[in-house]
Amino acid sequence: EPEVTQTPSHQVTQMGQEVILRCVPISNHLYFYWYRQILGQKVEFLVSFYNNEISEKSEIFDDQFSVERPDGSNFTLKIRSTKLEDSAMYFCARKGNYGYTFGSGTRLTVV
Amino acid sequence: AQSVTQPDIHITVSEGASLELRCNYSYGATPYLFWYVQSPGQGLQLLLKYFSGDTLVQGIKGFEAEFKRSQSSFNLRKPSVHWSDAAEYFCAVGARAAGNKLTFGGGTRVLVKP
């Protein structure tokens, strides 16, 4: 199946700034996900997105997070006011016929 | 709620030796099961998956895993490891409901000695 592409691969931002992480999962899939992996820890579910709506979110996904599919192919995760503890690798994923395909991730560093 | 336990945080194995990584899951029905591998600083690569049918599944890079319903396990094996197999391995469980999220285990870091 086609890959999932994430941009940027690495982003450094100052605490309190807004960041937007982008994912291109191919437009003919319905289910998309964001996961987070803090350095040295396990991969944690953030949010699932189905048919242009959030279908499930974890308790990590608080009001500072939002997701959008602005143009039918890109899928974005916005963090409104970053905190130091938001530093992590963020993975986008989509669900297809052969299971879940993950992007290569965006490493977010909040300083 | 679904959960996954990988009891071994680190495993060190000699090159050429066999490898087995343990995974136990908790889920009320038959789940979808996955193994992913992650090299340092890299993304998650799917090694293999179990949806239904034959409980012994073959994956890429010479890996296989066996689903044992009675033990709620999905252990990953490789008969002879290569130095390039040094990485972190994650087991994950997903429900059969459409669109359900994956839940990951804590991972097992594999070190390969020459």
Side-chain angles (χ1 to χ4, degrees):
Chain A
E1 286 195 327
E3 293 185 352
V4 175
T5 303
Q6 289 187 242
T7 58
S9 56
H10 191 185
Q11 182 155 357
V12 180
T13 188
Q14 288 198 323
M15 192 168 55
Q17 296 298 303
E18 174 184 285
V19 294
I20 298 176
L21 311 182
R22 291 184 169 81
C23 174
V24 182
I26 308 299
S27 59
N28 60 345
H29 289 82
L30 293 177
Y31 295 101
F32 306 105
Y33 308 82
W34 283 101
Y35 290 80
R36 179 182 80 174
Q37 185 184 30
I38 295 172
L39 186 63
Q41 298 187 23
K42 70 176 181 181
V43 180
E44 302 172 290
F45 168 75
L46 289 178
V47 64
S48 58
F49 196 77
Y50 168 68
N51 204 23
N52 296 324
E53 291 184 349
I54 291 175
S55 60
E56 186 177 357
K57 58 183 180 179
S58 72
E59 56 190 31
I60 302 170
F61 194 86
D62 60 23
D63 290 345
Q64 70 161 345
F65 290 93
S66 62
V67 289
E68 281 187 343
R69 197 176 177 195
D71 59 10
S73 61
N74 290 296
F75 180 46
T76 63
L77 175 70
K78 182 192 291 185
I79 309 175
R80 282 184 246 286
S81 178
T82 50
K83 303 188 286 255
L84 294 176
E85 53 265 38
D86 294 326
S87 295
M89 183 78 94
Y90 289 82
F91 293 106
C92 169
R94 60 163 171 76
K95 185 179 179 184
N97 294 331
Y98 302 100
Y100 300 80
T101 301
F102 284 80
S104 55
T106 293
R107 179 164 297 286
L108 177 65
T109 303
V110 183
V111 297
Chain B
Q2 57 207 51
S3 66
V4 181
T5 301
Q6 294 180 244
D8 304 304
I9 298 175
H10 292 102
I11 285 182
T12 300
V13 61
S14 297
E15 191 168 15
S18 64
L19 174 68
E20 181 167 13
L21 304 183
R22 295 183 291 165
C23 172
N24 294 97
Y25 68 89
S26 173
Y27 182 63
T30 303
Y32 291 151
L33 294 160
F34 305 82
W35 275 98
Y36 286 87
V37 61
Q38 184 182 37
S39 297
Q42 301 299 308
L44 297 163
Q45 182 182 23
L46 179 66
L47 283 176
L48 48 77
K49 59 186 180 290
Y50 171 77
F51 285 175
S52 65
D54 192 347
T55 56
L56 183 64
V57 293
Q58 303 297 320
I60 62 171
K61 305 185 180 187
F63 285 92
E64 67 177 25
E66 187 172 12
F67 169 55
K68 292 186 176 180
R69 184 192 305 273
S70 61
Q71 298 177 18
S72 297
S73 69
F74 189 56
N75 294 348
L76 181 72
R77 297 192 292 257
K78 185 168 183 177
S80 176
V81 299
H82 186 261
W83 64 266
S84 60
D85 294 323
E88 184 132 26
Y89 292 79
F90 292 95
C91 180
V93 62
R96 290 178 179 270
N100 196 273
K101 64 181 185 290
L102 285 183
T103 298
F104 284 82
T108 298
R109 180 165 297 281
V110 173
L111 304 175
V112 180
K113 294 189 301 184

